[in-house]
Amino acid sequence: QVQLVESGGGLVQAGGSLKLSCAASGRTFSTLVMAWFRQAPEKERDFVAALTPSGATTSYADSVKGRFTISRDNAKNTVYLQMNSLKPEDTFVYYCAATSPRVGLPVRSYDYPYWGQGTQVTVSS
């Protein structure tokens, strides 16, 4: 089992930045593929970004490329999402997710068995 706890969400003005953190426990963090998804009320969770256990390979949704950066610190069992140039359309609940290593980086929510509780990000115009 893996336990994930997100933090760092909040209210920010358009053009601003936020950094989300996700602390993991319960399994060797350095073996996990980690990802961020986001979800609007009554909508499906959408892929945001993912990275391999080593952090060497990343993948991003087109809507956040060039603005968001996913990273990890395996010594601290933590994955991050640095969000810059935020827009009102980035307003969602953001979720951290984890899965076992595999070929490629999965982008579908059903490929991730472990989830955090979510953190709200609100971007005002």
Side-chain angles (χ1 to χ4, degrees):
Q1 287 295 325
V2 177
Q3 292 78 44
L4 303 172
V5 179
E6 301 99 335
S7 61
L11 174 64
V12 63
Q13 288 189 332
S17 298
L18 278 176
K19 187 173 184 178
L20 306 183
S21 299
C22 172
S25 61
R27 182 173 163 178
T28 305
F29 178 76
S30 61
T31 68
L32 297 170
V33 169
M34 299 299 298
W36 289 94
F37 285 75
R38 62 190 188 183
Q39 185 176 26
E42 301 184 6
K43 300 287 188 181
E44 293 188 356
R45 289 182 186 179
D46 292 330
F47 173 76
V48 175
L51 79 171
T52 52
S54 69
T57 302
T58 57
S59 177
Y60 295 92
D62 288 343
S63 58
V64 306
K65 276 181 184 176
R67 300 188 299 123
F68 291 11
T69 302
I70 188 172
S71 63
R72 66 193 296 160
D73 185 337
N74 286 344
K76 295 183 177 180
N77 290 353
T78 302
V79 63
Y80 305 98
L81 185 68
Q82 177 68 47
M83 304 185 294
N84 298 329
S85 302
L86 282 162
K87 306 174 183 179
E89 51 264 44
D90 293 317
T91 295
F92 292 95
V93 176
Y94 284 73
Y95 293 90
C96 174
T99 189
S100 300
R102 61 199 62 201
V103 176
L105 287 170
V107 300
R108 293 181 171 84
S109 60
Y110 58 71
D111 285 321
Y112 291 85
Y114 306 111
W115 292 88
Q117 82 287 352
T119 186
Q120 177 70 47
V121 172
T122 302
V123 184
S124 63
S125 56

